[in-house]
Amino acid sequence: TDPVTQVVRFAKESQGHTDHLNMVSLGRGQGPIAEELIHKAQKGKGRWVFLQNCHLAAFFMPALQAIIES
């Protein structure tokens, strides 16, 4: 199933809007974009990054793990 609707609804319910929510569908060339959004979210409190289609981005998982561990 596609959880986008539920995530957007939850973002609106919790914050009143979705300005704090960034979504990126991982795939060809999206790793650097996702990484940038995650770093921005780490600096800006309350920001969310929703990574979609992670199963298509096995190449990005080591980078994501390093970001999480740091």
Side-chain angles (χ1 to χ4, degrees):
T1 63
D2 187 3
V4 172
T5 303
Q6 291 89 355
V7 171
V8 170
R9 184 177 346 125
F10 182 65
K12 286 180 183 177
E13 289 172 0
S14 66
Q15 302 285 332
H17 54 81
T18 59
D19 295 344
H20 61 290
L21 173 62
N22 292 104
M23 292 190 270
V24 60
S25 181
L26 293 174
R28 189 173 305 195
Q30 298 303 302
I33 294 168
E35 193 168 351
E36 181 181 336
L37 289 172
I38 293 168
H39 287 302
K40 285 182 180 180
Q42 288 174 323
K43 293 176 185 174
K45 292 183 179 180
R47 299 218 45 93
W48 299 2
V49 179
F50 179 50
L51 302 176
Q52 298 173 284
N53 299 317
C54 293
H55 64 287
L56 299 175
F59 68 90
F60 183 65
M61 293 303 108
L64 180 59
Q65 182 176 353
I67 292 168
I68 291 169
E69 289 176 351
S70 70

